[in-house]
Amino acid sequence: MATNPGFDFQRSEEEYRDADGPNEKLNALKKMLKTAPKHKSSEKLLASIKERISKLKTTIEKQSKSSGRGYSPTIKKEGAAQICLVGKTNSGKSKLLNDLTGTNVEVADYKFTTKKPEIGVMDYHGIKIQIVEIPAIVENFEDSVMGPTYKGILKQADLMVFLFRDVKDKGFLDKELSEVVTERAIYNDQDVKKFKDDLWRKLGIIKVYTKQPGREKDLPPVAFAKDSTLRDVAKKVHKDFLKSFKYARVYGKSAKFKGQTVGLDHVLADDDVVEIHMK
Ligand SMILES: Nc1nc2c(ncn2[C@@H]2O[C@H](COP(=O)(O)OP(=O)(O)OP(=O)(O)O)[C@@H](O)[C@H]2O)c(=O)[nH]1
Ligand SMILES: [Mg+2]
């Protein structure tokens, strides 16, 4: 479609005048900058638009810093890992949060139901994983009042889950969150039980059970980073353990055979059971 630059600029100017709130004003100013006539006599105009953009960005940043009323802008990580749910409004984030964790966050058809990050705890075979719903991602998320705060949360998460109804919205999320390099998973109406397994695999952490000789394995298991060794387990289980360690027997995927005798450098796998023998 052919566009009329003069007309587009005029329209964005009107949009700017009518804009409600700093985010909308900023979006309109960006459009103005794009559509403004670019010739010698418009240099002053361009400079003025740029100055207004810069001022608005500062205002928005200040608002974002002081709007942490009622909750901490960075969420304290708890459990073995933290997973954030992200998507446009009505993409089903709250529904998934409730399904994964048994919380009772409001699920509703109207837009922007969730106004602050909501937290739940998912139990995965005895391992606790923190799940956080980030309020809806909006256009120009980065420049929105809470954008920088939510981006900060996403950056320190271990995994983020993209939710969308329409595949076009995946592109939208990729674009809005292009600077966040946190590992991604996609949720699209899967079976929740199966999705929990997917999340676990994506996190790439392992769960290890300990056991006393001649007894059943202890519950619950303990989570460790991928490629952790028996030494890592030993350190976590008991502070004196390393001193009095003699050997361990391992049952599970990392063992060549059931009950293989191993030393502290042995690399463990998900669902291994270790039986510790002391001097
Ligand atoms: N068909 C279908 N509907 C769903 C699904 N998940 C949620 N919904 C419906 O979609 C609407 C929005 O769901 P929410 O979970 O509140 O969505 P949200 O992403 O948390 O939305 P906001 O908090 O408003 O940004 C509700 O009416 C849900 O019942 C789903 O997996 N399938
Ligand atoms: Mg919600």
Side-chain angles (χ1 to χ4, degrees):
M1 197 177 71
T3 58
N4 177 337
F7 179 70
D8 284 346
F9 179 66
Q10 207 180 333
R11 223 172 36 188
S12 53
E13 246 188 333
E14 277 163 21
E15 225 175 273
Y16 174 68
R17 247 195 336 264
D18 296 340
D20 225 358
N23 289 312
E24 290 74 11
K25 279 215 182 297
L26 182 63
N27 281 342
L29 275 173
K30 283 180 175 171
K31 275 189 204 156
M32 278 171 71
L33 191 62
K34 241 193 205 157
T35 52
K38 311 272 188 319
H39 44 71
K40 200 93 189 113
S41 61
S42 56
E43 266 169 16
K44 255 193 176 156
L45 172 69
L46 288 172
S48 137
I49 298 173
K50 282 181 190 160
E51 197 189 320
R52 276 180 280 170
I53 288 181
S54 147
K55 273 191 185 154
L56 256 181
K57 279 192 170 167
T58 314
T59 311
I60 289 171
E61 212 168 285
K62 273 190 196 146
Q63 270 184 7
S64 149
K65 277 191 188 133
S66 64
S67 65
R69 287 180 295 262
Y71 65 95
S72 156
T74 52
I75 291 167
K76 190 169 169 277
K77 271 187 161 185
E78 266 164 16
Q82 185 191 63
I83 300 177
C84 289
L85 309 181
V86 291
K88 280 185 165 178
T89 187
N90 278 342
S91 54
K93 301 180 295 296
S94 296
K95 167 95 168 32
L96 181 61
L97 176 70
N98 291 344
D99 288 349
L100 289 173
T101 68
T103 45
N104 198 12
V105 167
E106 188 182 357
V107 171
D109 253 340
Y110 61 88
K111 291 182 171 182
F112 304 107
T113 312
T114 305
K115 303 223 184 314
K116 61 171 183 64
E118 292 287 354
I119 303 173
V121 180
M122 172 173 110
D123 183 293
Y124 188 77
H125 300 282
I127 303 280
K128 306 281 185 229
I129 293 170
Q130 187 182 48
I131 312 280
V132 182
E133 174 185 1
I134 300 295
I137 304 293
V138 292
E139 208 177 337
N140 289 323
F141 170 67
E142 172 103 358
D143 298 323
S144 64
V145 173
M146 291 307 286
T149 303
Y150 296 157
K151 215 169 88 174
I153 298 172
L154 292 172
K155 280 186 174 170
Q156 51 123 41
D158 298 293
L159 181 68
M160 48 184 192
V161 176
F162 279 14
L163 285 93
F164 48 87
R165 299 287 177 94
D166 187 324
V167 76
K168 272 196 304 222
D169 291 340
K170 158 120 190 354
F172 169 84
L173 294 173
D174 276 332
K175 181 174 148 269
E176 294 295 340
L177 299 170
S178 60
E179 276 180 40
V180 182
V181 295
T182 305
E183 187 75 27
R184 285 140 209 238
I186 285 170
Y187 178 75
N188 235 341
D189 270 344
Q190 290 108 316
D191 170 62
V192 167
K193 195 170 167 290
K194 255 175 59 195
F195 189 58
K196 282 188 175 186
D197 295 334
D198 285 351
L199 288 177
W200 181 258
R201 273 192 296 272
K202 271 265 178 186
L203 282 172
I205 51 182
I206 61 171
K207 50 188 172 323
V208 175
Y209 298 84
T210 52
K211 111 184 236 314
Q212 313 275 325
R215 297 233 205 120
E216 288 292 301
K217 65 184 180 189
D218 302 325
L219 293 174
V222 184
F224 291 93
K226 199 178 164 197
D227 295 330
S228 288
T229 60
L230 196 58
R231 182 176 285 101
D232 300 312
V233 175
K235 275 194 254 173
K236 192 138 176 180
V237 173
H238 198 284
K239 65 175 179 355
D240 295 332
F241 184 95
L242 282 178
K243 264 193 292 182
S244 41
F245 177 85
K246 201 162 142 204
Y247 67 92
R249 289 190 189 283
V250 178
Y251 303 81
K253 274 178 280 188
S254 79
K256 290 200 188 91
F257 51 87
K258 265 188 190 171
Q260 184 194 354
T261 302
V262 297
L264 288 170
D265 291 325
H266 180 78
V267 177
L268 295 160
D270 195 25
D271 285 333
D272 275 355
V273 180
V274 300
E275 182 184 283
I276 290 150
H277 293 257
M278 318 280 261
K279 275 180 220 157

